[in-house]
């Protein structure tokens, strides 16, 4: 017959107490982790675009389209957009179309081309007020920027057959203030004969809206998590 040590029940009680204490502490820690608030996302950089017909503020999505948004911010930081014009206005109907601005290939203003970021990769879309970048072949975009007026997903998002490579254009930001100024630019009268080396005939304003300056705004500091 096996003899039981008189200390065994006491040891068992101590083990149970220790386990209960551990479980309690673990449960509290888990509850704290579950209740901890999610830290706020860092605010996206914003750019004030002062034009000859008013001011807009745009937000560059460096999270979802880091290459394209980052390139736009370089043009702003280096003042390469100061003095350029909205040289192309495509107005399909009231408050529907797009406007385009940039250095128009000026070698003193353009930066090297960037890698294409299709909307299927970024998750962004060409909806009202969204900024995009013009291109020819993928990877040729060089500082010619477009702003949507109305929903242009069907014609400009990837996967819809535009352009021929089916990769669409690279959306990267949006207008957050001053949409009325955007509409004012869309309403700029075009010169039916004006063109750019044979391109954009009937889409170029006789007296285009000018960008006086584009400047990055100070990024607000996010409130600390509580």
């Amino acid at each position: 017959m096996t003899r039981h040590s008189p200390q065994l029940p006491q040891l068992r009680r101590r083990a149970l107490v220790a386990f209960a204490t551990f479980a309690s502490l673990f449960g509290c820690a888990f509850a704290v982790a579950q209740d901890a608030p999610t830290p706020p996302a860092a605010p996206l950089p914003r750019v004030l675009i002062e034009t000859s017909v008013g001011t807009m503020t745009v937000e560059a999505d460096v999270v979802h389209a880091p290459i394209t948004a980052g390139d736009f911010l370089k043009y702003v930081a280096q003042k390469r957009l100061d003095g350029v014009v909205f040289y192309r206005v495509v107005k399909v109907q009231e408050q529907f179309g797009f406007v385009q601005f940039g250095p128009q290939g000026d070698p003193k203003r353009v930066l090297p081309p960037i890698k294409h970021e299709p909307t299927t990769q970024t998750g962004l879309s060409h909806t009202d007020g969204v900024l995009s970048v013009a291109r020819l072949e993928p990877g040729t975009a060089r500082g010619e920027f477009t702003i949507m007026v109305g929903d242009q997903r069907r014609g400009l998002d990837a996967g819809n057959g535009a352009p021929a490579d089916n990769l669409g254009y690279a959306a990267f930001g949006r207008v957050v203030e001053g949409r009325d100024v955007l509409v004012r630019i869309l309403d700029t009268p075009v010169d039916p004969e004006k063109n750019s080396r044979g391109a954009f005939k009937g889409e170029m304003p006789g007296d285009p809206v000018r960008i006086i300056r584009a400047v990055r705004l100070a990024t607000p500091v996010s409130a600390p998590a509580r």
Side-chain angles (χ1 to χ4, degrees):
M1 178 180 289
T2 304
R3 281 186 153 187
H4 294 283
S5 168
Q7 295 182 346
L8 188 58
Q10 186 176 359
L11 291 174
R12 284 178 177 171
R13 283 196 298 272
R14 288 178 181 175
L16 289 172
V17 169
F19 177 78
T21 302
F22 172 78
S24 176
L25 290 173
F26 178 79
C28 290
F30 181 77
V32 169
Q34 288 289 90
D35 294 339
T38 303
L44 296 174
R46 291 189 172 189
V47 172
L48 180 143
I49 301 178
E50 183 183 345
T51 80
S52 52
V53 297
T55 299
M56 294 182 290
T57 300
V58 304
E59 192 173 69
D61 195 336
V62 294
V63 174
H64 297 94
I67 296 173
T68 317
D71 189 58
F72 172 72
L73 293 174
K74 287 180 183 178
Y75 275 90
V76 172
Q78 298 175 24
K79 301 188 181 302
R80 294 173 183 265
L81 299 178
D82 293 7
V84 306
V85 299
F86 285 86
Y87 59 83
R88 189 180 181 199
V89 170
V90 178
K91 182 178 179 180
V92 180
Q93 61 188 45
E94 289 299 317
Q95 299 204 27
F96 189 84
F98 62 83
V99 298
Q100 192 166 308
F101 66 97
Q104 293 182 269
D106 182 348
K108 295 180 180 179
R109 291 182 179 265
V110 296
L111 292 170
I114 58 173
K115 181 181 178 181
H116 180 54
E117 292 179 303
T119 54
T120 47
Q121 172 186 312
T122 63
L124 304 177
S125 286
H126 291 83
T127 52
D128 184 63
V130 163
L131 281 80
S132 186
V133 64
R135 68 175 179 86
L136 295 174
E137 298 298 321
T140 61
R142 298 184 71 184
E144 308 299 335
F145 301 106
T146 306
I147 310 179
M148 311 300 120
V149 184
D151 191 333
Q152 307 291 341
R153 286 177 292 181
R154 179 175 294 182
L156 301 180
D157 276 10
N160 292 326
D165 54 42
N166 204 35
L167 293 176
Y169 297 87
F172 68 89
R174 64 189 181 98
V175 174
V176 293
E177 292 179 12
R179 186 182 182 277
D180 58 320
V181 176
L182 174 61
V183 173
R184 209 171 298 155
I185 297 169
L186 182 71
D187 291 341
T188 308
V190 298
D191 181 335
E193 297 303 321
K194 191 175 180 180
N195 64 85
S196 177
R197 296 183 291 276
F200 310 144
K201 185 176 181 180
E203 299 175 349
M204 302 190 73
D207 185 17
V209 172
R210 184 171 299 276
I211 292 179
I212 299 169
R213 64 178 184 132
V215 59
R216 183 167 174 171
L217 300 174
T219 303
V221 178
S222 298
R226 293 184 179 182

